[in-house]
Amino acid sequence: MDEETGEVLDAVGPRLRALRRGRGITLAELSATTGFSESTLSRLESGQRRATLELLLPLARTYDVPLDDLVGAPRTGDPRIHLKPIKRFGMVFVPLSRRPGGTQAFKMMIPAVPEPLEPTPQTHQGSEWLYVLNGTLRLVVGERDLTLAPGSAAEFDTSTPHWLGSAHGGAVELLILFGLDGVRAHVR
């Protein structure tokens, strides 16, 4: 193995540890998700075990990051974000950022429905900021039941029961910024 390859592989462990800690995941939780032992994961993060594709591919899937991010590969110069929609709860989330950890940006699309849905508020850790692009959004946060027109924005702590839907049954498009735990709850 040449020196450059060795340096790249040596940097993988600290990068993996920082990514796991930044997302608030324990070794035990990561072990349960990936099927790798806690010992293997710990040795990989500390540099006592060399990174292999067999280890890195499941970790990249678990963290939802490109393999290039785990090995610190240089960007190819293409600044475009390749949008891959995620469908959850009858809505579509289009990722607009791909920074591992931290705040994530999404375009969210709520489809038109024949009759407005009954709110089913949920809670989770994190925070959300949203901006209505098109349509009329119904936002229920705690005891407040709000109607937001295009150009309106809202920010709230997601530990408060909340729900987003169409105010009148029409399609709604909005931009959303999720704090880390909000991303896990909504799009994972």
Side-chain angles (χ1 to χ4, degrees), residues 84-155:
K84 294 179 186 168
I86 301 163
K87 295 180 182 178
R88 292 285 309 259
F89 313 113
M91 296 176 265
V92 177
F93 297 84
V94 179
L96 301 176
S97 62
R98 59 178 193 179
R99 233 181 84 219
T103 302
Q104 299 287 316
F106 292 86
K107 179 177 180 184
M108 180 178 165
M109 293 168 283
I110 301 170
V113 292
E115 303 245 347
L117 300 174
E118 190 61 35
T120 53
Q122 304 291 317
T123 63
H124 52 85
Q125 292 181 346
S127 61
E128 291 183 27
W129 177 91
L130 59 86
Y131 179 84
V132 181
L133 297 168
N134 292 306
T136 306
L137 177 72
R138 181 176 179 196
L139 172 63
V140 177
V141 179
E143 299 298 317
R144 300 191 72 163
D145 193 336
L146 307 166
T147 301
L148 295 122
S152 300
E155 179 180 17

